[in-house]
């Protein structure tokens, strides 16, 4: 016959197995969410807000506001601001693009590199003189973008045709309300 001791041990074993099962389910969910947090995705560009911000609609009908990573385009009411927006629109408006998600900025926009037909659109904006390499406190992390900016400046492309272009961060600082 079963003793009370065997029944208690069996109940204890079932309880431990339940907690182990819950632990592994939690781990699987946790790592699934981490993977989704910065997952690359494809979507259609439904709006070009300015030279470094777009809206993308995914196949699942989710809309994301995307801030192009490592670039800083002129503000809308700044010289070359409208030209920058129009150039970005000519490259990707209405098209399906790959969004290489790198996280969120302080405004909860997705920071990303935009790829269309294997072309880095962020880099193309800088290379053609429609954006600066992004700098935080005066320092650019992406040296490739700095090189592209230097080349655009040397060749007087886009905004570099202007005799004295004002960097967007200086424009924002000088025009604070």
């Amino acid at each position: 016959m079963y003793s009370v001791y065997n029944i208690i041990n069996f109940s204890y074993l079932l309880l431990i197995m339940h907690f182990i099962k819950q632990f592994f389910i939690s781990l699987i969910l946790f790592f699934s969410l981490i993977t989704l947090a910065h997952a690359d995705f494809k979507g259609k560009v439904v709006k070009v807000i300015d030279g470094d911000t777009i809206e993308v609609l995914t196949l699942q009908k989710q809309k994301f506001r995307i801030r192009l990573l490592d670039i800083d385009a002129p503000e809308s009411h700044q010289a070359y601001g409208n030209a920058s927006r129009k150039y970005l629109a000519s490259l990707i408006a209405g098209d399906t693009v790959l969004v290489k998600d790198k996280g969120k900025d302080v405004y909860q926009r997705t920071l990303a590199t935009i790829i269309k037909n294997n072309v880095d659109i962020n880099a193309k904006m800088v290379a053609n003189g429609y954006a600066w390499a992004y700098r935080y406190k005066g320092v650019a992390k992406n040296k490739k973008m700095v090189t592209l900016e230097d080349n655009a400046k040397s060749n007087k492309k886009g905004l570099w045709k202007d005799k004295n272009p004002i960097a967007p961060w200086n424009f924002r600082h000088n025009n604070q309300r």
Side-chain angles (χ1 to χ4, degrees), residues 41-44 56-64 96:
F41 60 91
K42 286 188 177 186
K44 181 178 179 179
V56 172
L57 186 65
T58 68
L59 297 173
Q60 294 77 24
K61 303 299 181 202
Q62 286 184 287
K63 193 183 283 188
F64 288 91
T96 298

Side-chain angles (χ1 to χ4, degrees), residues 109-169:
R109 297 175 296 190
T110 300
L111 293 169
T113 300
I114 303 301
I115 306 294
K116 179 185 162 193
N117 298 330
N118 295 320
V119 174
D120 180 338
I121 299 301
N122 304 33
K124 192 165 182 141
M125 290 294 291
V126 175
N128 287 294
Y130 290 97
W132 275 259
Y134 179 81
R135 290 165 175 82
Y136 180 72
K137 295 186 178 183
V139 179
K141 284 193 315 185
N142 189 323
K143 301 305 176 196
K144 172 188 164 192
M145 291 295 184
V146 173
T147 301
L148 293 171
E149 179 185 295
D150 290 342
N151 290 339
K153 190 184 300 186
S154 297
N155 293 308
K156 298 199 181 306
K157 291 184 174 184
L159 61 90
W160 299 109
K161 293 174 189 170
D162 196 322
K163 288 181 177 149
N164 192 21
I166 299 169
W169 51 90

Side-chain angles (χ1 to χ4, degrees), residues 9-61:
N9 280 341
F10 184 71
S11 297
Y12 182 66
L13 182 62
L14 284 176
L15 187 63
I16 290 173
M17 287 174 54
H18 173 76
F19 282 119
I20 290 172
K21 178 180 153 189
Q22 292 298 332
F23 175 75
F24 282 111
I25 289 171
S26 297
L27 274 178
I28 290 168
L29 287 172
F30 175 74
F31 286 111
S32 297
L33 289 174
I34 287 176
T35 303
L36 290 174
H38 298 292
D40 298 345
F41 60 91
K42 286 188 177 186
K44 181 178 179 179
V45 177
V46 292
K47 187 174 185 181
V48 176
I49 296 165
D50 58 30
D52 56 26
T53 310
I54 62 174
E55 284 187 356
V56 172
L57 186 65
T58 68
L59 297 173
Q60 294 77 24
K61 303 299 181 202

